[in-house]
Amino acid sequence: MRELDRQLKLATGLYARGEAPIDLVLGVASRAISILHERAEPERWAECDGKDYWVFRADGRISRPYLPTLFEASELVFRRFWGFLIDSADPDARRFHLDVVDINRVLYSAIGSFAICYDLWKSKSRKTPGTFFEVLLGSVLKLVLPRHQRAGHVTLPGQVENVSTDIVFQRQGVKGGLVVPAKITTRERVVQPFAHQRILDSVFGENVFKSTLVCMSEMQRDDDRGAANAICVPGTIRLFQMHLARLSGIYYLDPPARYLLPDVTQVIRVATLGDLLAADLHALTET
Amino acid sequence: MRELDRQLKLATGLYARGEAPIDLVLGVASRAISILHERAEPERWAECDGKDYWVFRADGRISRPYLPTLFEASELVFRRFWGFLIDSADPDARRFHLDVVDINRVLYSAIGSFAICYDLWKSKSRKTPGTFFEVLLGSVLKLVLPRHQRAGHVTLPGQVENVSTDIVFQRQGVKGGLVVPAKITTRERVVQPFAHQRILDSVFGENVFKSTLVCMSEMQRDDDRGAANAICVPGTIRLFQMHLARLSGIYYLDPPARYLLPDVTQVIRVATLGDLLAADLHALTET
C-alpha cells in the first residue's frame, strides 16, 4: 500500500500541473489489482437488479460491492487490455476504437481495484478514490483530446469566483467546452453538476458549455440485510434535468438499472463510460 | 438526556402531523439549558472576528464553540425571555414585537444548548440538532403565520417529485409561498436552497415562491490550532445569487463577519434571524 500511495502522489502531482500521467495511472491500477490478488479474498455478497455483486475480504474488513463480470482480477490481462485501450485512442476522431464492453471493463477494474484497496486498508482516506478517479478519467480523455486544455474549473469573466468542476476541456480560442464532473457515486451531491451547468448557461449562454456526469456506480453494501443496493433518485434527476439545467448525459461504469428505465432516459441520456469514450465524446467536443 | 430525547420525540411527532408544539419546544430547550448548567463546565475557547467563543466540557468531551454573549445559561431567565417572545407574536402584522437582540438571544440559547448537549452526550446523532432547529423555527414562525399552512415540501404540478425544502408556508388559494431552509451550518450544502429556488422559479414563474435561508452559525472548532473558525464561501454565495437563483435573504443567529461585508450584502440581504422575525417576514408573506 505504501508503494501504491507513492505512485498515486506522483500521478496526482503531475496531473495537478496539467499533465496526463497515463503510465503512472496504469502503475497505480495494476498495483491495486495485484495487491488484491495477493492479500484479499473475493466472496459473493448479494444480487441486485439481476447482477451478482461480490466483495473482497482482508484482515477482518469487507470492501464495497463490485461486479466481477466487469472486474479483471489478473494484473497481466488487465495490462493487456489497458494497452488495447491506449492504442485505440484516435485524436482525430476524438474517440477510442476499443469495444465499449472492453473499455468499461478496463476502467472499472482500474478504479474499482483502487477503491477496494482503500476500503480494506485505508478506509479513513475516503476522498482518495475520488481523486484517483478524476486523475484516471482526465488522463484518459486527454489521449483523444490532445489539442484541448484541461483545467479543474471554468474562469468566469468579471467574477472573483470560478466554477469548480472536476474536469473541464476547452480549446484555445473557442468559447465553451466540455465539463466532466467525476464521482465514484453521487449521493446527495448530484445537484452540483446541474447547478454548475445552470451557472455556465447563465454566464455564457445556453449550451455553450456542455456537462457530462461520469460515475463509477451507485452500489452500496447493506450490512443489516446482507444486501447490495443501488441508491437512486430518478425523480430528482428528472426534476433537475427539466427545471434546473440540462446535462448532456450521465455515464456510469456500472449503470443502475433504475436509471435505464424510460422515465429517466426520456429526459436525459444515460449510458456507460464506454459509450462516452467510444462514441458520444466526438459530438460533445470541438475539433 | 433520556427525558430530553423523549420530549424531542413528542415534539417531532406532533410537528410532523402539522402542529406547532411550541410548549414542548420550550420544554426541550429549557431542559437542555438546565442539563448544561448541572453537568458541564463552560470554558473560554478562542476569539474569532472580535467575538469570544466558549465551549462546554463534560466527561472528557468538548462541545462546538458558542457565543456566551448570545447564550442565556440560566433556565429561569431563558423561560422569561421565551415568554416575552411568544407574547410578542402579532399575527396581524406577521411579526414579533420583541427586540431583535432578545429574539436572537432566546433562539440562539434554545438551539445552541440542545446542539451542545448532543455534542457532549450523543455525538453520534449528528442530524438531531438540525431536526430540532427545524421544529423550533417552524413552530415559532407558525405563531405569526397562523392562517398559513406549513409543509415540508412544495408539490409541483404534473411532477412525481416534490421539492423537499425544510419549511414551506403557503396560504390556501394563494399561488406561491415562503420557503425556509433551516440549517445549523451550511457547509457544502449551501447550493441546495439556490437550486430549489431556481426550480420553483422555473415551474411557477420567478419570485412566486421566495426563499430565506436560516442558519445558526458557521463556527467550527479547530482543535489543531485551538481556534474557532467561521467557514465562509462568499464568492460561491455571490455566484449562486447572481447566476443560479435569487434568495430573499440569509438569516443567521450568529452571522459570520465575512458575510456582512459589502461584496456579499450588495447582492444578497444578510441579517439575523431576529431581523427576519421582527421585520422582514411581513413583506415576505401574504395576508
Side-chain angles (χ1 to χ4, degrees):
Chain A
M1 282 295 286
R2 205 176 300 165
E3 177 60 18
L4 191 70
D5 266 355
R6 199 189 62 81
Q7 286 192 36
L8 174 72
K9 267 197 194 121
L10 274 176
T12 311
L14 289 171
Y15 184 83
R17 289 201 290 282
E19 295 185 34
I22 199 78
D23 290 334
L24 281 167
V25 168
L26 167 63
V28 169
S30 356
R31 182 149 202 105
I33 288 173
S34 87
I35 289 175
L36 288 180
H37 185 72
E38 282 162 27
R39 299 198 223 153
E41 282 300 318
E43 178 187 305
R44 188 178 176 284
W45 180 260
E47 184 251 320
C48 177
D49 296 325
K51 297 179 276 189
D52 256 340
Y53 285 89
W54 287 48
V55 294
F56 277 96
R57 279 183 192 268
D59 307 325
R61 296 192 67 100
I62 309 176
S63 78
R64 68 191 64 198
Y66 74 98
L67 204 50
T69 52
L70 263 181
F71 188 87
E72 181 47 66
S74 148
E75 187 195 343
L76 208 74
V77 178
F78 169 73
R79 280 180 170 274
R80 278 194 69 201
F81 277 89
W82 180 273
F84 295 156
L85 174 68
I86 305 302
D87 291 345
S88 81
D90 180 347
D92 293 320
R94 299 194 301 283
R95 54 165 293 205
F96 290 87
H97 290 285
L98 192 63
D99 264 12
V100 169
V101 175
D102 290 331
I103 299 179
N104 288 329
R105 190 172 163 81
V106 70
L107 295 180
Y108 186 85
S109 307
I111 179 59
S113 60
F114 185 88
I116 287 170
C117 281
Y118 268 67
D119 289 343
L120 295 176
W121 296 291
K122 272 214 151 187
S123 59
K124 285 190 176 167
S125 303
R126 287 192 177 196
K127 290 190 171 173
T128 314
T131 304
F132 180 59
F133 191 39
E134 187 184 327
V135 173
L136 167 72
L137 188 62
S139 302
V140 166
L141 281 167
K142 182 73 180 172
L143 294 172
V144 287
L145 300 171
R147 290 177 290 276
H148 282 67
Q149 256 89 48
R150 180 180 55 74
H153 62 265
V154 178
T155 307
L156 304 180
Q159 288 271 155
V160 179
E161 193 74 358
N162 299 318
V163 176
S164 293
T165 58
D166 297 330
I167 302 169
V168 185
F169 280 97
Q170 291 187 269
R171 278 288 266 147
Q172 193 115 44
V174 176
K175 202 179 161 201
L178 181 67
V179 175
V180 189
K183 313 271 175 220
I184 300 281
T185 60
T186 61
R187 318 269 176 90
E188 70 278 17
R189 299 163 306 165
V190 76
V191 65
Q192 282 173 11
F194 291 93
H196 287 157
Q197 178 65 39
R198 159 59 57 178
I199 292 168
L200 295 171
D201 287 346
S202 162
V203 174
F204 296 97
E206 292 213 4
N207 226 15
V208 171
F209 280 87
K210 294 185 171 73
S211 295
T212 55
L213 174 58
V214 175
C215 308
M216 181 180 166
S217 84
E218 298 293 353
M219 295 309 301
Q220 282 186 37
R221 208 182 69 218
D222 178 343
D223 288 344
D224 294 339
R225 302 191 302 120
N229 302 326
I231 311 296
C232 292
V233 287
T236 303
I237 286 179
R238 271 177 62 88
L239 182 66
F240 288 172
Q241 179 75 356
M242 292 166 75
H243 292 292
L244 189 47
R246 289 191 67 80
L247 299 191
S248 298
I250 305 185
Y251 298 91
Y252 278 95
L253 282 163
D254 174 22
R258 181 65 189 84
Y259 289 165
L260 300 174
L261 296 183
D263 62 330
V264 177
T265 55
Q266 269 161 15
V267 298
I268 189 166
R269 164 104 168 125
V270 181
T272 70
L273 180 52
D275 293 302
L276 176 66
L277 296 177
D280 294 7
L281 186 67
H282 179 89
L284 292 167
T285 49
E286 316 77 22
T287 315
Chain B
M1 283 295 284
R2 205 176 300 166
E3 177 59 18
L4 191 71
D5 266 356
R6 199 188 61 82
Q7 286 191 36
L8 174 72
K9 266 195 196 122
L10 274 176
T12 311
L14 289 172
Y15 184 82
R17 289 200 289 282
E19 295 186 35
I22 199 79
D23 290 333
L24 281 168
V25 168
L26 167 63
V28 169
S30 353
R31 181 148 203 108
I33 289 173
S34 87
I35 290 174
L36 288 179
H37 184 71
E38 282 163 26
R39 299 198 223 153
E41 282 301 316
E43 178 186 303
R44 187 177 176 284
W45 180 259
E47 185 251 319
C48 177
D49 296 326
K51 295 179 276 189
D52 257 339
Y53 285 88
W54 287 48
V55 294
F56 277 96
R57 278 183 192 268
D59 307 325
R61 296 194 67 98
I62 309 177
S63 79
R64 69 191 63 197
Y66 74 97
L67 203 49
T69 51
L70 263 181
F71 188 86
E72 181 47 66
S74 148
E75 186 195 343
L76 208 75
V77 178
F78 169 74
R79 280 181 170 273
R80 277 196 68 201
F81 276 88
W82 180 273
F84 295 156
L85 174 67
I86 305 301
D87 291 345
S88 81
D90 181 346
D92 293 321
R94 298 193 302 283
R95 54 165 293 206
F96 291 87
H97 290 285
L98 193 63
D99 265 13
V100 169
V101 176
D102 289 331
I103 298 179
N104 288 328
R105 190 170 162 81
V106 69
L107 295 180
Y108 186 86
S109 307
I111 179 60
S113 60
F114 184 88
I116 287 170
C117 281
Y118 268 67
D119 289 343
L120 295 176
W121 296 291
K122 273 215 152 187
S123 60
K124 286 189 177 170
S125 303
R126 286 192 179 197
K127 291 191 170 172
T128 314
T131 304
F132 180 58
F133 191 39
E134 187 185 327
V135 173
L136 167 72
L137 188 62
S139 302
V140 166
L141 281 167
K142 182 72 180 171
L143 293 172
V144 287
L145 301 171
R147 289 176 291 277
H148 282 67
Q149 256 89 49
R150 180 181 54 75
H153 63 265
V154 177
T155 307
L156 305 180
Q159 288 271 157
V160 179
E161 193 74 357
N162 299 316
V163 176
S164 292
T165 58
D166 297 330
I167 302 169
V168 185
F169 279 97
Q170 291 186 270
R171 277 289 265 147
Q172 193 114 46
V174 176
K175 203 180 160 198
L178 181 67
V179 174
V180 189
K183 312 271 175 218
I184 300 282
T185 60
T186 61
R187 319 267 177 90
E188 72 278 18
R189 297 162 307 164
V190 76
V191 66
Q192 281 173 10
F194 291 92
H196 286 156
Q197 178 66 40
R198 159 57 60 179
I199 292 167
L200 294 171
D201 287 346
S202 163
V203 174
F204 295 97
E206 291 215 5
N207 226 17
V208 171
F209 280 87
K210 295 186 171 73
S211 296
T212 54
L213 173 58
V214 174
C215 308
M216 181 180 166
S217 84
E218 299 291 354
M219 296 309 301
Q220 282 186 38
R221 208 181 69 217
D222 177 344
D223 289 342
D224 293 339
R225 302 190 304 121
N229 301 327
I231 311 296
C232 292
V233 287
T236 303
I237 286 180
R238 271 177 62 87
L239 182 66
F240 288 173
Q241 179 75 356
M242 292 165 76
H243 292 292
L244 188 48
R246 290 190 66 80
L247 299 191
S248 299
I250 306 185
Y251 298 91
Y252 279 95
L253 282 162
D254 174 22
R258 181 63 189 86
Y259 289 165
L260 300 173
L261 295 184
D263 63 330
V264 177
T265 55
Q266 269 160 15
V267 298
I268 189 167
R269 165 105 168 124
V270 181
T272 70
L273 180 52
D275 293 301
L276 176 65
L277 296 177
D280 295 7
L281 186 66
H282 179 89
L284 292 167
T285 49
E286 316 77 23
T287 315

